């Protein structure tokens, strides 16, 4: 039977078919749909969102050494957060099969940096599989669990944005129930810091065995071509581009990219005058080949390391002509700069920060758009949880009244330790937590503040106010995020408080299904009362446009009834539709 699946859906399908019984992860583009699919279609895998990737990885370690087949998912930068556990796990090795998804994002479509996590795998001495299409996403997921159990090693399944989000026909099967493996309480194996010197040779022994396996691994495949001068070594989604652009070239497609098969590579390259090494990301394979003494290769000096590859890019790079112009060039599109959603409660907060002219350290989430026009009220953004630490540092550098701003999910992910540190070290910063009860940027997944788990079931809800007070913050205030005047007043009082303060701006994300599909009465503008002062335009709501007579008008089908435009109207010309009746 075949199904038309997204790459991420195929990974989920493979995990289900392979008998996975525990899945954990943190939302992050381009990996998020894996757990969403498991929660929607395959609850037998016990999927869950965790507070961050380190927790996800550690829960997965426990499940795997306890004997369960386990999957852990995250985007590439998430593995940085989980690196402590990732680096140490190979020392004990696993019991049940363990696969971690590293979803890399070449081109930074939704990430703060480009990062090739094959290098992290090499540092950790963890084998890497790289599928090239949706079918292989399923197949490699299943094979990764077998490989993990065969070598008692965690396995990384590396995907990239196009692979995760493309669709293809996938041959699927039935679920195989795999018995839970027996867990033997063996401190000499699982208490790594105490017995690390005993475990260290085992890591090398496993890596040597994996390197020997790579030479005959069925995922590393040679495809003969009609061209006997040009050969190509490739991996991942780049393989598809190579087959399209260079259909006559001989190809060595590497499905296992760590450890790499030195003998196989030397033998393949010896058959060609020139071998192109075409791999998206850094020159991971190419560096290995050069170190192995293979000289007839051309790689990153021609194809580059920045951004995504594509057939058009390869064709142009190889002098095979310029790609056709994008079809969008012939269409007159309205410019749509990134902006907050209609009705988003973050608007009032950034309007207040702009008005107060304070230095603001931002964080990772939808609210990074506060750095863009028209607000331009967020002055630094780096990585998850960095807003608070950076604000403390700015304070130390002499910037008074610094403000850190962070979303609820990001605060739980990485914001709690720096808040405790800020209080401990007597900072006076103001922390604004944007509590919209969702991990909004990745599609409104639930988090510990939502009161719902990945399956949509009720679960204990984290008490943000109590947590902040328990951290030592005495000035904690909660404000309705759509109460424009009160948002300004509460933030102003917090900024001038003689000590650390927390402002929780609360209001649900307008993209949550229960909000988005609820019955809402839109606002209308009464032209007889409107003086065309344009005050309503200054809330920068995309639902407000102009009529031919230059009056503002609200798109009734888009209005979320947030009330912010009505709050600023000096003549009360903006009213609920039912008030006109």
């Amino acid at each position: 039977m075949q199904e038309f699946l997204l790459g991420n859906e195929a990974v989920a399908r493979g995990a289900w078919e392979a008998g996975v019984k525990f899945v954990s992860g943190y939302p992050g583009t381009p990996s998020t749909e894996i757990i969403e699919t498991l929660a929607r279609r395959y609850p037998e895998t016990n999927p869950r969102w965790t507070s961050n990737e380190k927790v996800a990885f550690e829960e997965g370690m426990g499940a795997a050494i306890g004997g369960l087949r386990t999957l852990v998912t995250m985007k590439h930068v998430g593995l940085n957060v989980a690196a402590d556990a990732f680096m140490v796990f190979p020392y004990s090795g696993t019991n049940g099969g363990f696969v971690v998804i590293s979803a890399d994002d070449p081109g930074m479509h939704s990430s703060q940096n480009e990062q090739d996590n094959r290098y992290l795998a090499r540092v950790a001495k963890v084998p890497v599989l790289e599928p090239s299409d949706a079918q292989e996403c399923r197949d490699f997921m299943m094979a990764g669990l077998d490989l993990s159990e065969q070598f008692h090693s965690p396995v990384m399944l590396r995907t990239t944005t196009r692979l995760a989000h493309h669709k293809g026909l996938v041959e699927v099967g039935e679920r195989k129930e795999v018995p839970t493996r027996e867990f033997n309480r063996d401190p000499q194996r699982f208490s790594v810091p105490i017995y690390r010197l005993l475990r260290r040779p085992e890591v090398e022994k496993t890596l040597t065995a994996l390197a020997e396996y790579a030479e005959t691994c069925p995922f590393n495949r040679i495809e003969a071509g009609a061209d006997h001068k040009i050969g190509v070594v490739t991996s991942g989604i780049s393989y598809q581009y190579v087959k399209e652009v260079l259909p006559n070239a001989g190809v060595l497609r590497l499905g296992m990219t760590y450890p790499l098969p030195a003998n196989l590579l030397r033998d393949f390259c010896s058959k060609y005058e020139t071998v192109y090494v075409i791999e998206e990301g850094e020159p991971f394979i190419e560096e290995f080949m050069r170190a192995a003494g293979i000289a007839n290769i051309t790689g990153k000096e021609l194809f580059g390391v920045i951004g995504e590859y594509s057939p058009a890019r390869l064709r142009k790079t190889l002098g095979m002509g310029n790609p056709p112009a994008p079809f969008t060039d012939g269409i007159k599109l309205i410019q749509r700069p990134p902006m907050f959603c209609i009705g988003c409660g973050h608007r009032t907060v950034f309007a207040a920060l702009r008005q107060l002219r304070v230095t603001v350290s931002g964080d990772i989430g939808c609210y990074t758009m506060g750095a863009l026009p028209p607000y331009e009220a967020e002055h630094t953004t780096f990585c998850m949880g960095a807003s608070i630490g950076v604000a403390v540092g700015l304070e130390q550098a002499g910037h008074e009244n610094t403000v850190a701003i962070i979303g609820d999910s990001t605060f739980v992910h990485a914001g709690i330790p720096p808040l405790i540190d800020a209080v401990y070290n007597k900072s006076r910063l103001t922390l604004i937590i944007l509590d919209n009860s969702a991990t909004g940027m990745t599609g409104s997944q639930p988090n510990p503040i939502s009161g719902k788990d990945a399956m949509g079931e009720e679960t204990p809800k984290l008490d943000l106010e109590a947590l902040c007070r328990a951290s030592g913050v005495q000035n904690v205030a909660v404000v309705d995020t759509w109460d424009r005047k009160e948002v300004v007043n509460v933030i102003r009082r917090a900024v001038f408080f003689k000590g650390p303060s927390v402002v929780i701006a609360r209001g649900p994300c307008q993209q949550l299904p229960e909000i988005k599909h609820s019955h809402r009465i839109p606002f209308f503008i009464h032209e007889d009362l409107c003086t065309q002062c344009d005050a309503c335009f200054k809330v920068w709501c995309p639902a407000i446009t102009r009529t031919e007579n230059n009056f503002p008008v609200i798109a009734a089908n888009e209005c979320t009834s947030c009330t912010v435009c009505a709050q600023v109207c000096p003549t009360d010309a903006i009213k609920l539709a039912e008030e006109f009746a």
Side-chain angles (χ1 to χ4, degrees), residues 26 51 346 363-365 367 384 405-416 432-441 445-451 461-462 464 504-509 512:
Y26 185 81
S51 54
H346 301 346
D363 224 297
I364 300 295
Y367 42 93
M384 294 288 280
I405 190 162
I406 191 169
D408 51 354
S409 183
T410 309
F411 178 67
V412 174
H413 178 284
I416 298 170
I432 300 175
I433 302 175
L434 302 168
D435 176 11
N436 63 2
S437 296
T439 309
M441 195 172 188
Q445 291 77 25
N447 62 51
I449 298 172
S450 311
K461 187 174 180 176
L462 179 64
L464 266 183
I504 301 170
R506 181 164 288 157
C509 174
L512 285 167

Side-chain angles (χ1 to χ4, degrees), residues 360-377:
V360 178
S361 172
D363 224 297
I364 300 295
C366 304
Y367 42 93
T368 55
M369 284 184 287
L372 298 173
Y375 301 102
E376 298 179 300

Side-chain angles (χ1 to χ4, degrees), residues 462-543:
L462 179 64
D463 186 335
L464 266 183
E465 298 95 300
L467 189 150
C468 294
R469 290 194 177 97
S471 301
V473 180
Q474 296 179 354
N475 187 33
V476 179
V478 181
V479 63
D480 177 347
T481 193
W482 290 290
D483 188 337
R484 189 172 171 276
K485 282 185 181 176
E486 191 60 10
V487 166
V488 175
N489 291 336
V490 169
I491 294 176
R492 180 184 283 117
R493 286 197 294 270
V495 166
F496 293 105
F497 183 75
K498 304 295 184 186
S501 299
V502 171
V503 174
I504 301 170
R506 181 164 288 157
C509 174
Q510 296 302 295
Q511 298 304 313
L512 285 167
E514 63 269 29
I515 302 295
K516 194 173 183 179
H517 302 301
S518 63
H519 176 65
R520 290 180 288 196
I521 301 170
F523 277 81
F524 278 83
I525 295 175
H526 199 306
E527 291 188 4
D528 290 344
L529 298 175
C530 178
T531 60
Q532 297 183 334
C533 69
D534 284 355
C536 55
F537 284 105
K538 294 175 183 173
V539 303
W540 296 305
C541 175

Side-chain angles (χ1 to χ4, degrees), residues 341-469:
C341 299
I342 294 171
C344 178
H346 301 346
R347 291 177 184 278
T348 55
V349 175
F350 281 101
L353 292 171
R354 178 185 167 93
Q355 180 181 336
L356 294 171
R357 297 178 181 276
V358 287
T359 301
V360 178
S361 172
D363 224 297
I364 300 295
C366 304
Y367 42 93
T368 55
M369 284 184 287
L372 298 173
Y375 301 102
E376 298 179 300
E378 185 176 302
H379 308 110
T380 71
T381 311
F382 293 102
C383 54
M384 294 288 280
S387 59
I388 303 170
V390 170
V392 169
L394 286 167
E395 191 179 44
Q396 291 298 306
H399 295 267
E400 296 182 350
N401 304 326
T402 57
V403 173
I405 190 162
I406 191 169
D408 51 354
S409 183
T410 309
F411 178 67
V412 174
H413 178 284
I416 298 170
L419 176 62
I420 292 171
D421 180 82
V423 175
Y424 173 64
N425 284 304
K426 302 173 185 174
S427 166
R428 283 188 52 195
L429 69 77
T430 296
L431 172 63
I432 300 175
I433 302 175
L434 302 168
D435 176 11
N436 63 2
S437 296
T439 309
M441 195 172 188
T442 50
S444 301
Q445 291 77 25
N447 62 51
I449 298 172
S450 311
K452 291 183 179 177
D453 63 16
M455 308 295 290
E457 297 174 354
E458 299 290 325
T459 191
K461 187 174 180 176
L462 179 64
D463 186 335
L464 266 183
E465 298 95 300
L467 189 150
C468 294
R469 290 194 177 97

Side-chain angles (χ1 to χ4, degrees), residues 332-337:
K332 189 176 181 181
L333 295 173
I334 299 172
Q335 293 293 313
R336 288 193 62 209

